[in-house]
Amino acid sequence: EFAPIFWEIVNLKYLEPEWVCEKIHACKSDEEETISEETVKFSSFTSPPPSKEATDVGYILQMTDLHIDLDYVVGTKADCGEPMCCREVNGKGAAREWGEYTCDINAITFDKVVEHVAENFNPDFIVLTGDSPPHDVWEQSIEENVACMIGTSTPFQNHFPDTPVIPALGNHDIFPIGQYRGPKYDQW
């Protein structure tokens, strides 16, 4: 049901993919760029007619809501009574190397997941559908959110160097979180 809408976005560059891709370091850029306040450019488009000749099957790897915690520390409290645990500020405890159910995924585990997928699957392209930062919404900033998006895209660059990666922003990726402009402007 949503395939035509998805292809419309991908094929017609609804959300300037080069801009997003370079911002989260999922693509190589010729220029070194600093984080600044920029706006996402939208372009008008019309749907292309479906191709009657398209018979090949394609494979897509789609991952969403990864919420990677770059501040996860092995040996900290995993059940700390706070909204976020497994961090140095929580004190000594039993947080394990591969993660805890009560905590967001750590970078080591996430890299191993992507490595496993790369060893067992060969997608035509990868779609990351947002929400890379951890659930520490009170500590987020533009810089922290971008660092998490880079932390999410880097394993894909390493393990899928020749596979296109298409990122999308989720409500946790923007800062402050969930601050889209509203129904009048955000016609998703």
Side-chain angles (χ1 to χ4, degrees):
E1 172 178 15
F2 293 105
I5 296 168
F6 176 78
W7 284 114
E8 186 172 78
I9 292 168
V10 172
N11 286 333
L12 298 170
K13 301 179 183 180
Y14 179 67
L15 183 62
E16 302 294 336
E18 295 83 10
W19 182 86
V20 174
C21 195
E22 287 178 14
K23 288 294 176 205
I24 67 165
H25 299 246
C27 305
K28 292 188 170 50
S29 173
D30 295 335
E31 299 176 16
E32 190 63 36
E33 200 169 301
T34 57
I35 299 170
S36 63
E37 290 187 26
E38 292 185 38
T39 56
V40 177
K41 298 176 185 175
F42 292 91
S43 58
S44 61
F45 57 88
T46 57
S47 293
S51 172
K52 293 181 181 182
E53 298 175 20
T55 58
D56 292 338
V57 173
Y59 295 94
I60 301 168
L61 169 63
Q62 185 261 336
M63 296 185 92
T64 191
D65 292 276
L66 299 167
H67 295 287
I68 297 171
D69 188 357
L70 300 176
D71 294 325
Y72 183 102
V73 177
V74 174
T76 56
K77 285 186 182 176
D79 189 12
C80 66
E82 299 290 328
M84 287 289 297
C85 299
C86 302
R87 291 177 162 197
E88 194 169 346
V89 69
N90 303 124
K92 294 193 184 290
R96 296 171 287 187
E97 179 180 5
W98 298 108
E100 293 293 333
Y101 177 75
T102 56
C103 302
D104 285 335
I105 190 170
N106 64 54
I108 295 169
T109 303
F110 178 65
D111 186 69
K112 285 296 184 185
V113 167
V114 176
E115 180 182 303
H116 172 78
V117 171
E119 291 170 356
N120 293 282
F121 301 96
N122 185 22
D124 295 305
F125 61 93
I126 299 166
V127 182
L128 302 177
T129 50
D131 286 359
S132 298
H135 290 96
D136 61 351
V137 298
W138 59 93
E139 292 182 358
Q140 290 183 359
S141 66
I142 293 171
E143 292 78 15
E144 288 291 323
N145 288 11
V146 170
C148 288
M149 288 186 270
I150 292 168
T152 301
S153 63
T154 299
F156 288 100
Q157 286 178 303
N158 295 339
H159 298 295
F160 292 95
D162 300 319
T163 304
V165 177
I166 302 166
L169 297 174
N171 67 309
H172 281 257
D173 296 314
I174 57 176
F175 180 80
I177 68 161
Q179 297 299 308
Y180 294 109
R181 291 175 64 194
K184 180 178 174 184
Y185 302 99
D186 297 333
Q187 299 300 318
W188 306 101

